[in-house]
Amino acid sequence: MKFFFLTIFPDLVKCFCEHGIVSQAIKKGALEVVVINPRDYAEKGKVDDYAYGGHPGMVLKPEPIFLAYEDLVSKYGKPYVIIPQPWGKVIDQRDLDRLSKLDSLLVICGRYEGIDERVSTLADEELSLGDFVLSGGELFGLVLLEGIARLLPGVLSDPQSIERDSFRRWLGSPVYTRPAEFRGMKVPEVLLSGNHKMIELWELWHSIKRTLEKRPDLIPKDLTPLEEEMLRAIKENLSFEEWVKKR
């Protein structure tokens, strides 16, 4: 996948790409990140100007963005274009799944008071991280980049971990590592038992419990008989051990 950034702060992106899962994806050849600075297409490097109508703050000019975009298209072909905007659709895991299947993607990063409205004609989609305002679109783009990079084929050493991600169906269950006891807090015995069937039930139970407690709006509509049984027991305040004994 080719992931393009159009940003006046290219070093923010380049630094990020040197670490973590994004760096792995690049090294494995699953991802190519291309950073374009609109200053390179601006007269005397000037990319912003005062807003018409007396609106406070500076606005990114359309000319360098259009020129940079047209140059990108001439070299690589047309990418899918996203402009981060506070009013855009808030992204979720389904958006990452969908966008990870694209061949190429461009994030046009705004700054200051925003981007000249005419640039919006380039956008295939306007997206957001949530109902709040940041100083620019780079952080949105980096979140999108990392969320997509881990979904690309061959990037994760254990692809099954994607299937166990939160938001696939339920939120993730608790996880533990060594030591088995820390400051009086013990790893649940079932996880040390080697009984894989019981461990699967424990993980499903706690995924359902966490979803009910943290994000009940995410409870699936198409519950299996086992999920329905567990959900009912959790609502009755039974523990996992009590539920197992009753079965």
Side-chain angles (χ1 to χ4, degrees):
M1 179 188 206
K2 285 186 170 61
F3 199 115
F4 301 96
F5 279 85
L6 189 60
T7 170
I8 62 173
F9 295 117
D11 289 344
L12 286 176
V13 178
K14 292 175 182 177
C15 178
F16 188 85
C17 290
E18 294 175 358
H19 305 279
I21 198 72
V22 173
S23 173
Q24 290 181 39
I26 293 170
K27 289 174 181 174
K28 291 181 177 181
L31 177 67
E32 180 183 356
V33 179
V34 180
V35 187
I36 300 160
N37 190 341
R39 292 190 192 279
D40 297 336
Y41 298 83
E43 187 176 347
K44 297 181 180 179
K46 183 173 175 55
V47 293
D48 62 334
D49 210 332
Y50 295 103
Y52 281 122
H55 189 89
M58 305 296 282
V59 177
L60 289 183
K61 293 163 62 65
E63 308 100 299
I65 293 176
F66 271 85
L67 288 173
Y69 173 75
E70 288 160 2
D71 190 31
L72 183 160
V73 171
S74 71
K75 292 176 179 174
Y76 299 98
K78 186 194 178 311
Y80 191 83
V81 181
I82 292 173
I83 299 182
Q85 294 287 15
W87 52 81
K89 176 193 176 297
V90 178
I91 59 171
D92 58 25
Q93 187 62 49
R94 287 168 295 185
D95 293 308
L96 297 181
D97 292 340
R98 169 174 60 89
L99 296 172
S100 71
K101 294 176 174 61
L102 296 172
D103 292 327
S104 62
L105 172 65
L106 165 66
V107 177
I108 299 178
C109 303
R111 273 282 156 177
Y112 313 125
E113 280 300 304
I115 309 172
D116 185 290
E117 184 64 22
R118 289 164 287 193
V119 175
S120 66
T121 60
L122 300 177
D124 292 296
E125 198 167 3
E126 293 178 338
L127 295 174
S128 169
L129 291 179
D131 296 337
F132 53 87
V133 177
L134 298 171
S135 296
E138 288 80 10
L139 285 178
F140 169 90
L142 295 175
V143 167
L144 198 64
L145 177 63
E146 176 155 318
I148 287 174
R150 63 189 303 279
L151 298 176
L152 298 176
V155 173
L156 292 185
S157 56
D158 184 2
Q160 285 188 342
S161 64
I162 291 176
E163 299 171 14
R164 299 166 65 88
D165 282 344
S166 291
F167 305 109
R168 290 295 168 199
R169 184 167 179 84
W170 303 95
L171 297 183
S173 62
V175 292
Y176 297 85
T177 187
R178 294 177 177 84
E181 183 175 348
F182 175 71
R183 296 186 179 179
M185 296 177 284
K186 296 181 179 180
V187 173
E189 286 294 331
V190 63
L191 299 181
L192 306 174
S193 68
N195 185 332
H196 297 296
K197 180 61 178 175
M198 193 62 68
I199 290 172
E200 285 179 14
L201 289 173
W202 184 92
E203 289 178 339
L204 177 59
W205 173 279
H206 285 280
S207 287
I208 294 173
K209 187 171 187 287
R210 178 169 281 172
T211 305
L212 178 63
E213 292 173 350
K214 307 287 187 184
R215 290 291 303 275
D217 57 300
L218 295 178
I219 294 175
K221 299 288 189 289
D222 57 335
L223 296 177
T224 66
L226 176 60
E227 290 171 335
E228 217 168 88
E229 181 186 337
M230 283 186 170
L231 183 59
R232 186 166 54 250
I234 291 166
K235 287 181 177 179
E236 293 171 357
N237 293 319
L238 291 180
S239 68
F240 174 72
E241 292 73 20
E242 289 171 333
W243 173 75
V244 169
K245 286 179 182 177
K246 284 184 67 174
R247 293 195 86 212

Coordinates of all heavy atoms in Angstrom, one line a residue, residues 164-205:
R164 N -8.5 -11.3 17.3 CA -8.8 -11.1 18.8 C -8.8 -9.7 19.2 O -9.0 -9.4 20.4 CB -7.8 -11.9 19.6 CG -7.8 -13.4 19.3 CD -6.5 -14.1 19.9 NE -6.5 -14.0 21.3 CZ -7.1 -15.0 22.1 NH1 -7.7 -16.0 21.5 NH2 -7.1 -14.9 23.4
D165 N -8.7 -8.8 18.3 CA -8.7 -7.3 18.6 C -10.1 -6.9 19.2 O -11.1 -7.5 18.9 CB -8.5 -6.5 17.4 CG -7.1 -6.4 16.9 OD1 -6.2 -6.7 17.8 OD2 -6.8 -6.0 15.8
S166 N -10.0 -5.9 20.1 CA -11.3 -5.3 20.5 C -12.0 -4.8 19.3 O -11.3 -4.4 18.3 CB -11.0 -4.1 21.5 OG -10.5 -4.6 22.7
F167 N -13.3 -4.7 19.3 CA -14.2 -4.2 18.3 C -14.4 -5.2 17.1 O -15.1 -4.9 16.2 CB -13.7 -2.9 17.8 CG -13.5 -1.8 18.8 CD1 -12.2 -1.4 19.2 CD2 -14.6 -1.3 19.5 CE1 -12.0 -0.5 20.2 CE2 -14.4 -0.4 20.5 CZ -13.1 0.0 20.9
R168 N -13.7 -6.4 17.2 CA -14.1 -7.4 16.2 C -15.4 -7.9 16.4 O -16.2 -8.1 15.5 CB -13.0 -8.5 16.2 CG -11.7 -8.1 15.7 CD -11.7 -7.8 14.2 NE -10.5 -7.1 13.8 CZ -10.4 -6.4 12.7 NH1 -11.4 -6.2 11.9 NH2 -9.2 -5.8 12.4
R169 N -15.7 -8.2 17.7 CA -17.0 -8.6 18.2 C -17.3 -8.1 19.6 O -18.1 -7.3 19.8 CB -17.2 -10.1 18.1 CG -18.6 -10.6 18.5 CD -18.8 -12.0 18.1 NE -20.2 -12.4 18.4 CZ -21.2 -12.3 17.7 NH1 -21.2 -11.6 16.6 NH2 -22.4 -12.7 18.1
W170 N -16.4 -8.5 20.5 CA -16.4 -8.0 21.9 C -15.2 -7.2 22.2 O -14.2 -7.3 21.4 CB -16.5 -9.2 22.9 CG -17.7 -10.1 22.7 CD1 -17.8 -11.2 21.9 CD2 -19.1 -9.8 23.1 NE1 -19.1 -11.8 22.0 CE2 -19.9 -10.9 22.7 CE3 -19.7 -8.8 23.9 CZ2 -21.2 -11.0 23.0 CZ3 -21.0 -9.0 24.2 CH2 -21.8 -10.0 23.8
L171 N -15.1 -6.5 23.3 CA -13.9 -5.9 23.7 C -12.9 -7.0 24.1 O -13.4 -8.1 24.5 CB -14.2 -4.9 24.8 CG -15.0 -3.7 24.5 CD1 -15.1 -2.8 25.8 CD2 -14.5 -2.9 23.3
G172 N -11.6 -6.7 24.1 CA -10.7 -7.7 24.5 C -10.7 -8.1 25.9 O -11.1 -7.3 26.8
S173 N -10.4 -9.3 26.2 CA -10.3 -9.9 27.6 C -9.1 -9.4 28.3 O -8.1 -9.0 27.6 CB -10.5 -11.4 27.6 OG -9.3 -12.0 26.9
P174 N -9.0 -9.5 29.6 CA -7.7 -9.2 30.3 C -6.6 -10.1 29.9 O -6.8 -11.2 29.6 CB -8.1 -9.4 31.8 CG -9.6 -9.3 31.9 CD -10.1 -9.9 30.5
V175 N -5.4 -9.5 29.9 CA -4.2 -10.3 29.6 C -3.1 -10.1 30.7 O -3.1 -9.1 31.3 CB -3.6 -9.9 28.2 CG1 -4.5 -10.2 27.1 CG2 -3.3 -8.4 28.2
Y176 N -2.3 -11.2 30.9 CA -1.3 -11.2 31.9 C 0.0 -11.8 31.4 O 0.0 -12.5 30.4 CB -1.8 -12.1 33.1 CG -3.0 -11.6 33.8 CD1 -4.3 -12.0 33.3 CD2 -3.0 -10.9 35.0 CE1 -5.5 -11.6 34.0 CE2 -4.1 -10.4 35.6 CZ -5.4 -10.8 35.1 OH -6.5 -10.4 35.8
T177 N 1.1 -11.5 32.1 CA 2.4 -12.1 31.8 C 3.1 -12.4 33.1 O 2.5 -12.1 34.2 CB 3.2 -11.2 30.8 OG1 4.4 -11.9 30.4 CG2 3.6 -9.9 31.5
R178 N 4.3 -12.8 33.0 CA 5.1 -13.1 34.2 C 5.4 -11.8 35.0 O 5.6 -10.8 34.3 CB 6.4 -13.8 33.9 CG 6.2 -15.2 33.3 CD 7.5 -15.9 32.9 NE 7.3 -17.2 32.4 CZ 7.0 -17.5 31.2 NH1 6.8 -16.6 30.3 NH2 6.8 -18.8 30.8
P179 N 5.5 -11.8 36.3 CA 5.4 -13.0 37.2 C 3.9 -13.4 37.4 O 3.0 -12.6 37.2 CB 6.0 -12.5 38.5 CG 5.7 -11.0 38.5 CD 5.8 -10.6 37.0
A180 N 3.8 -14.6 37.9 CA 2.4 -15.1 38.2 C 1.8 -14.4 39.4 O 0.6 -14.4 39.5 CB 2.5 -16.6 38.4
E181 N 2.6 -13.8 40.2 CA 2.1 -13.0 41.4 C 2.9 -11.8 41.5 O 4.2 -11.8 41.5 CB 2.1 -13.8 42.7 CG 1.5 -13.0 43.8 CD 1.5 -13.9 45.1 OE1 1.7 -15.1 45.0 OE2 1.2 -13.3 46.2
F182 N 2.3 -10.6 41.6 CA 2.9 -9.4 41.7 C 2.2 -8.5 42.8 O 1.0 -8.2 42.6 CB 3.0 -8.6 40.4 CG 3.6 -7.3 40.4 CD1 4.9 -7.1 40.7 CD2 2.7 -6.1 40.3 CE1 5.4 -5.8 40.7 CE2 3.3 -4.9 40.4 CZ 4.6 -4.7 40.6
R183 N 2.9 -8.2 43.9 CA 2.4 -7.4 44.9 C 1.0 -7.9 45.4 O 0.1 -7.1 45.7 CB 2.3 -5.9 44.5 CG 3.6 -5.3 44.2 CD 3.5 -3.8 43.9 NE 4.9 -3.3 43.7 CZ 5.1 -2.0 43.4 NH1 4.1 -1.1 43.3 NH2 6.4 -1.6 43.2
G184 N 1.0 -9.2 45.6 CA -0.3 -9.8 46.1 C -1.3 -10.1 45.0 O -2.3 -10.7 45.3
M185 N -1.1 -9.6 43.8 CA -2.1 -9.8 42.7 C -1.7 -11.0 41.9 O -0.6 -11.0 41.4 CB -2.1 -8.5 41.9 CG -2.7 -7.3 42.6 SD -2.7 -5.8 41.6 CE -0.9 -5.3 41.7
K186 N -2.6 -12.0 41.8 CA -2.2 -13.2 41.1 C -2.9 -13.3 39.8 O -4.0 -12.8 39.6 CB -2.7 -14.4 42.0 CG -2.0 -14.5 43.3 CD -2.4 -15.7 44.1 CE -1.7 -15.8 45.5 NZ -2.1 -17.0 46.3
V187 N -2.2 -14.0 38.9 CA -2.8 -14.3 37.6 C -3.9 -15.4 37.8 O -3.7 -16.3 38.6 CB -1.7 -14.9 36.6 CG1 -2.4 -15.4 35.4 CG2 -0.7 -13.9 36.3
P188 N -5.1 -15.2 37.2 CA -6.1 -16.2 37.4 C -5.7 -17.6 37.1 O -5.0 -17.9 36.2 CB -7.2 -15.8 36.4 CG -7.0 -14.3 36.3 CD -5.5 -14.1 36.4
E189 N -6.0 -18.5 38.0 CA -5.6 -19.9 38.0 C -5.9 -20.6 36.6 O -5.1 -21.4 36.1 CB -6.2 -20.7 39.1 CG -5.6 -20.5 40.5 CD -4.2 -20.9 40.6 OE1 -3.8 -21.9 39.9 OE2 -3.4 -20.3 41.3
V190 N -7.0 -20.2 36.1 CA -7.4 -20.9 34.8 C -6.4 -20.6 33.7 O -6.2 -21.5 32.9 CB -8.9 -20.4 34.4 CG1 -8.9 -18.9 34.1 CG2 -9.4 -21.2 33.2
L191 N -5.8 -19.5 33.7 CA -4.8 -19.2 32.7 C -3.5 -19.9 32.8 O -2.7 -20.0 31.9 CB -4.5 -17.7 32.7 CG -5.7 -16.7 32.4 CD1 -5.3 -15.3 32.3 CD2 -6.4 -17.1 31.0
L192 N -3.3 -20.5 34.0 CA -2.1 -21.3 34.3 C -2.4 -22.8 34.1 O -1.5 -23.6 34.3 CB -1.6 -21.0 35.7 CG -1.3 -19.5 36.0 CD1 -0.9 -19.4 37.4 CD2 -0.2 -19.0 35.1
S193 N -3.6 -23.1 33.9 CA -4.1 -24.5 34.0 C -3.7 -25.4 32.8 O -3.6 -26.6 32.9 CB -5.6 -24.6 34.1 OG -6.2 -24.2 32.9
G194 N -3.5 -24.7 31.6 CA -3.2 -25.5 30.4 C -4.4 -26.1 29.8 O -4.4 -26.8 28.7
N195 N -5.6 -25.8 30.4 CA -6.9 -26.3 29.8 C -7.4 -25.3 28.8 O -8.0 -24.3 29.1 CB -7.9 -26.5 31.0 CG -9.2 -27.1 30.5 OD1 -9.6 -26.9 29.3 ND2 -9.9 -27.7 31.4
H196 N -7.1 -25.5 27.5 CA -7.3 -24.5 26.5 C -8.8 -24.3 26.3 O -9.2 -23.1 26.0 CB -6.7 -25.0 25.2 CG -5.2 -25.1 25.3 ND1 -4.4 -24.0 25.5 CD2 -4.3 -26.2 25.2 CE1 -3.1 -24.4 25.6 NE2 -3.1 -25.7 25.4
K197 N -9.6 -25.3 26.4 CA -11.1 -25.1 26.3 C -11.6 -24.1 27.4 O -12.4 -23.2 27.1 CB -11.8 -26.4 26.3 CG -13.3 -26.3 26.2 CD -13.7 -25.7 24.8 CE -15.2 -25.6 24.7 NZ -15.6 -24.9 23.4
M198 N -11.1 -24.4 28.6 CA -11.6 -23.5 29.7 C -11.0 -22.1 29.6 O -11.7 -21.1 29.9 CB -11.1 -24.2 31.1 CG -11.8 -23.5 32.3 SD -13.6 -23.8 32.3 CE -13.7 -25.5 32.5
I199 N -9.8 -22.0 29.1 CA -9.2 -20.7 28.9 C -10.0 -19.9 27.8 O -10.3 -18.7 28.0 CB -7.7 -20.8 28.4 CG1 -6.9 -21.3 29.6 CG2 -7.2 -19.5 27.9 CD1 -5.5 -21.7 29.2
E200 N -10.4 -20.6 26.8 CA -11.3 -19.9 25.7 C -12.6 -19.4 26.3 O -13.0 -18.3 26.1 CB -11.6 -20.9 24.6 CG -10.4 -21.1 23.7 CD -10.7 -22.1 22.6 OE1 -11.9 -22.4 22.4 OE2 -9.8 -22.6 21.9
L201 N -13.2 -20.2 27.2 CA -14.4 -19.8 27.9 C -14.2 -18.6 28.8 O -15.0 -17.7 28.8 CB -15.0 -21.0 28.7 CG -15.6 -22.1 27.8 CD1 -16.0 -23.3 28.8 CD2 -16.8 -21.7 27.1
W202 N -13.1 -18.7 29.5 CA -12.8 -17.6 30.5 C -12.6 -16.3 29.7 O -13.1 -15.2 30.1 CB -11.5 -17.9 31.2 CG -11.1 -16.9 32.3 CD1 -11.4 -16.9 33.6 CD2 -10.2 -15.8 32.1 NE1 -10.8 -15.9 34.2 CE2 -10.1 -15.1 33.3 CE3 -9.6 -15.2 31.0 CZ2 -9.4 -14.0 33.5 CZ3 -8.9 -14.1 31.1 CH2 -8.7 -13.4 32.4
E203 N -11.9 -16.3 28.6 CA -11.6 -15.1 27.8 C -12.9 -14.6 27.2 O -13.1 -13.4 27.2 CB -10.6 -15.4 26.7 CG -9.2 -15.7 27.2 CD -8.2 -16.0 26.1 OE1 -8.6 -16.5 25.0 OE2 -7.0 -15.8 26.3
L204 N -13.7 -15.5 26.7 CA -15.0 -15.0 26.1 C -15.9 -14.4 27.2 O -16.5 -13.3 27.1 CB -15.8 -16.2 25.5 CG -17.2 -15.8 24.9 CD1 -17.1 -14.7 23.9 CD2 -17.8 -17.1 24.4
W205 N -15.9 -15.0 28.4 CA -16.7 -14.5 29.5 C -16.2 -13.1 29.9 O -17.1 -12.2 30.0 CB -16.5 -15.4 30.7 CG -17.1 -14.9 32.0 CD1 -16.5 -14.0 32.9 CD2 -18.4 -15.3 32.6 NE1 -17.4 -13.8 34.0 CE2 -18.5 -14.5 33.8 CE3 -19.4 -16.1 32.2 CZ2 -19.6 -14.6 34.6 CZ3 -20.5 -16.2 33.1 CH2 -20.6 -15.5 34.2

